[in-house]
Amino acid sequence: MALVDTKQMFKKAYEGKYAIGAFNINNMEIVQAILRGAAACNSACILQTSKSALNYAGPKTLHAMVKAVIEETGVDAALHLDHGPDLETVKICIENGFTSVMFDGSHFEYEENVAKTKEVVDYAHAHGVVVEAELGKLAGVEDDVNVDAKNATYTDPDQAVDFVTRTGVDSLAVAIGTSHGAYKFKGDAKLDFDRLEVISQKLDAAGFKEYPIVLHGASGVDPAVIDLCNKYGGQIKGAKGIPAEMLRKAAGMAVCKINMDTDIRLAMTAGIRQSFAEKPEAFDPRGYLGVARTMIQELVEGKIKDVLGSTDSMK
Ligand code: G3H
Ligand code: 13P
Ligand code: ZN
């Protein structure tokens, strides 16, 4: 049981053909729900925070909370910066005990992405911290940057090899059709598994054996949870996520880390809305936040068992 980095997790996940869940956190209930869910499944996990989550909760608070709940639950977990926008944010996270960071330079021109990622990798590795980077552009919204579907670009496999070679990055987030947020597809979900396979094969041929690939924008957006939100006053229309079987397929390939935030937000919102509607006389936050926490824990357990396959990964 410890706050660890992702190296061992990814090695075991690659070999075991499963993926580790990376769930976004920004408050105590979410941290507890995820780690309790992981503990119930004897699974390792990754807790990650975006820049806006860091601004919301503070890096010291997040780190202290994660460390305490890891001790209480006995889970092996990494604390990871999600979509780090610059070296400055990376430094703040490393100073505050994060064990893994992402630098997301995917919106820069290729050479600039390489140069900026390399700078982050050099700094992080000198401090014993692993780095994830991104190549290709996902559609959707992250930290107020909105990339619409026509500006999304899938990851080029040859460029992926060049990128990993030149930056020394430890894992790579790729664009193969997933997108951030609750509105992922207009029609049917479609992921480019052939591209994923070629990326992995080319990395392997270049000497990057069992190289861990990361899938962002992987929430399932369960229609039952959307219905619950809407039943109790929500107005979430046309939301659609990634089907579980596609994520299972990716986890059986080179994908070792699967990111989910939207599903947590939806579960929390559904729990709170239901609680408010069913107990309008109540006003103790522990009541409705407790219901939301249970909903998130159940969600995480379901993801680990039915989607990620990381059950018993702490053995
Ligand atoms: O990929 C983005 C995550 O869902 C974080 O979103 O920047 O609103 O915290 P956020
Ligand atoms: P979702 O919006 O699909 O939950 O993706 C979250 C994510 O990729 C965080 O980095
Ligand atoms: Zn993401």
Side-chain angles (χ1 to χ4, degrees), residues 246-267:
M246 290 192 178
L247 298 174
R248 279 195 292 270
K249 183 169 174 181
M253 298 169 70
V255 170
C256 294
K257 172 174 180 270
I258 294 189
N259 284 15
M260 287 165 278
D261 184 11
T262 298
D263 281 341
I264 295 196
R265 296 176 181 203
L266 290 169

Side-chain angles (χ1 to χ4, degrees), residues 70-93:
I70 283 177
E71 278 166 23
E72 282 166 5
T73 54
V75 170
D76 287 334
L79 178 56
H80 173 78
L81 166 64
D82 187 30
H83 294 288
D86 46 40
L87 183 59
E88 191 196 334
T89 311
V90 163
K91 284 183 178 172
I92 291 171
C93 288

Side-chain angles (χ1 to χ4, degrees), residues 85-107:
D86 46 40
L87 183 59
E88 191 196 334
T89 311
V90 163
K91 284 183 178 172
I92 291 171
C93 288
I94 292 177
E95 275 160 21
N96 282 283
F98 281 49
T99 56
S100 172
V101 292
M102 175 190 191
F103 172 70
D104 181 359
S106 60
H107 48 288

